[in-house]
Amino acid sequence: MKSHYAIALAVSASLVASAALAHDDEGPIRADGHAPIGVMGDHTHKTGEVMFSYRFMRMEMDGNRIGTDSVSPETIVTTVANPNPGPATLRVVPTNMTMDMHMFGAMYAPTDWLTLMGMVQYIQKDMDHITFAGMAGTTRLGEFTTRSKGFGDSSVTALVRLYDDGDHRVHANFGLGLPTGSITEEDEVLTPMNTRPRLRLPYAMQLGTGTFDLLPGLTYAGRSGDFGWGAQATSALRLGRNSQGYSFGDEFRGTTWVSYSPQPWVSFSGRVAGKTVGKIDGGDDQIAAPVQTADPDNYGGETVDLSLGVNLVGQRGVLRGHRIAAEFGTPVYQDLNGPQMETDWTFTIGYQYAF
């Protein structure tokens, strides 16, 4: 992670220096021409334009929640029933999870009214657990960590411009999620009987959905003077069950943001995002451990996040048009179908260049 931050700071410093030396006759490029970096598919391009992008996102989860209440591992293993064969209650509890996601994107506009977008992801997930000994009780046997990494699901999207008068823009998002991520990842675990078999990892640790998904949405952005604003509504609708017999719950997301740009080369943003996700439909019969993440009912819920961000864009020379942006977000409301791990924070940093 330190290397990611060092690179980001170096590029940011270069962009700031470039902006400070900008010539007026080149014409300013507005940093708020793009939404905060955590918003995908937020803008369209003119005929013939191409854009490449890279985003790095880290999410950290810590502790567990049932509904809106935080719960301890001991509460989970003494009160939550195990839906799988074995102990009457759950005996393994996840305590911390990190996910690092590298997202590579490309956009191309064959016409002014149509922009095509594709995205691929590389993901690494790490989850720490506590195993409790035997069939009951609160004696801690030990801890272990599972990991999965590889390419995640991909997507292709058409952005159709509906309205643009220079100050207000509206476009529709028509996307398709492609099941390129693995759903059969395995790793070694510590069981309540103090054995260490290699098992198929629970749903949360898999790299993809295994299903084709419809990704419709609608995006609006506007600005006046130094201020900008926007809103986006998107969803992920699963098209049937995957090869292992299940599908993740449908997702519905909404976000709105405001930005302030004291100079064309920089803008600061605040964003609110809400999400509702359904439970998993069906199940994989190879995922059957006495841990909450192996229960399809312990997925989904409702969350509201608050994020702060900054966008920078170079104004001169070889850095002209190169963008770097960062955004930090944290939940302000979580109502989870639990027990389920709760999110602590997310951090996204990204680079974009159009020509």
Side-chain angles (χ1 to χ4, degrees):
M1 276 298 295
K2 290 182 179 179
S3 62
H4 292 294
Y5 294 130
I7 293 171
L9 289 173
V11 176
S12 299
S14 297
L15 285 171
V16 170
S18 171
L21 296 173
H23 287 309
D24 291 339
D25 58 7
E26 290 183 307
I29 302 173
R30 292 187 61 128
D32 62 357
H34 291 192
I37 196 67
V39 182
M40 309 291 182
D42 63 290
H43 66 277
T44 60
H45 289 272
K46 296 179 180 179
T47 301
E49 284 188 345
V50 175
M51 190 187 86
F52 293 107
S53 65
Y54 165 73
R55 290 174 171 86
F56 170 77
M57 184 191 78
R58 164 161 282 207
M59 178 181 69
E60 180 157 330
M61 309 176 82
D62 189 62
N64 289 280
R65 179 173 296 219
I66 298 176
T68 58
D69 298 322
S70 296
V71 292
S72 68
E74 283 73 18
T75 297
I76 291 172
V77 298
T78 55
T79 64
V80 179
N82 174 26
N84 297 305
T89 59
L90 299 180
R91 304 303 296 155
V92 179
V93 180
T95 57
N96 181 272
M97 177 179 177
T98 60
M99 180 176 70
D100 291 340
M101 182 181 295
H102 303 267
M103 295 167 278
F104 304 89
M107 302 177 79
Y108 169 68
T111 71
D112 280 350
W113 62 268
L114 175 64
T115 297
L116 303 177
M117 180 175 73
M119 182 170 290
V120 297
Q121 307 174 87
Y122 187 87
I123 302 169
Q124 178 173 312
K125 299 180 180 182
D126 294 272
M127 184 177 285
D128 300 329
H129 305 74
I130 298 172
T131 299
F132 289 79
M135 303 293 284
T138 58
T139 300
R140 296 191 177 196
L141 176 63
E143 300 180 359
F144 69 97
T145 300
T146 57
R147 170 177 290 181
S148 59
K149 61 180 179 178
F151 284 99
D153 287 350
S154 307
S155 65
V156 290
T157 305
L159 309 177
V160 179
R161 185 180 298 179
L162 303 177
Y163 180 80
D164 188 347
D165 66 4
D167 292 325
H168 303 274
R169 309 187 306 274
V170 180
H171 68 262
N173 305 54
F174 299 100
L176 179 66
L178 308 176
T180 52
S182 170
I183 57 171
T184 57
E185 294 295 296
E186 298 179 347
D187 204 354
E188 184 180 277
V189 304
L190 174 63
T191 73
M193 299 297 109
N194 201 23
T195 61
R196 290 186 176 270
R198 188 175 181 86
L199 301 176
R200 180 167 296 179
L201 293 174
Y203 309 99
M205 290 297 291
Q206 297 300 327
L207 300 173
T209 64
T211 57
F212 288 91
D213 305 327
L214 290 180
L215 308 173
L218 188 67
T219 305
Y220 161 76
R223 68 186 183 195
S224 178
D226 295 338
F227 293 91
W229 56 87
Q232 184 183 74
T234 58
S235 57
L237 309 176
R238 317 302 177 186
L239 299 178
R241 295 185 179 182
N242 60 31
S243 60
Q244 303 305 307
Y246 68 92
S247 63
F248 280 90
D250 291 340
E251 297 186 16
F252 300 91
R253 300 171 180 261
T255 187
T256 184
W257 66 90
V258 295
S259 64
Y260 172 64
S261 183
Q263 297 292 332
W265 60 271
V266 61
S267 69
F268 304 95
S269 62
R271 185 165 69 93
V272 177
K275 177 178 68 173
T276 179
V277 183
K279 298 178 181 179
I280 291 176
D281 179 30
D284 182 344
D285 58 12
Q286 297 297 308
I287 300 176
V291 60
Q292 65 201 44
T293 48
D295 186 347
D297 286 341
N298 292 333
Y299 286 83
E302 299 177 349
T303 60
V304 178
D305 298 331
L306 177 63
S307 302
L308 299 175
V310 59
N311 284 9
L312 303 170
V313 59
Q315 300 288 321
R316 182 186 176 189
V318 295
L319 292 180
R320 180 173 169 82
H322 292 263
R323 294 174 176 268
I324 189 168
E327 188 177 46
F328 179 85
T330 189
V332 293
Y333 174 79
Q334 297 183 82
D335 185 359
L336 306 179
N337 301 325
Q340 190 177 151
M341 295 202 70
E342 53 188 1
T343 300
D344 269 12
W345 53 266
T346 60
F347 175 75
T348 305
I349 189 167
Y351 164 80
Q352 300 168 317
Y353 179 59
F355 55 92

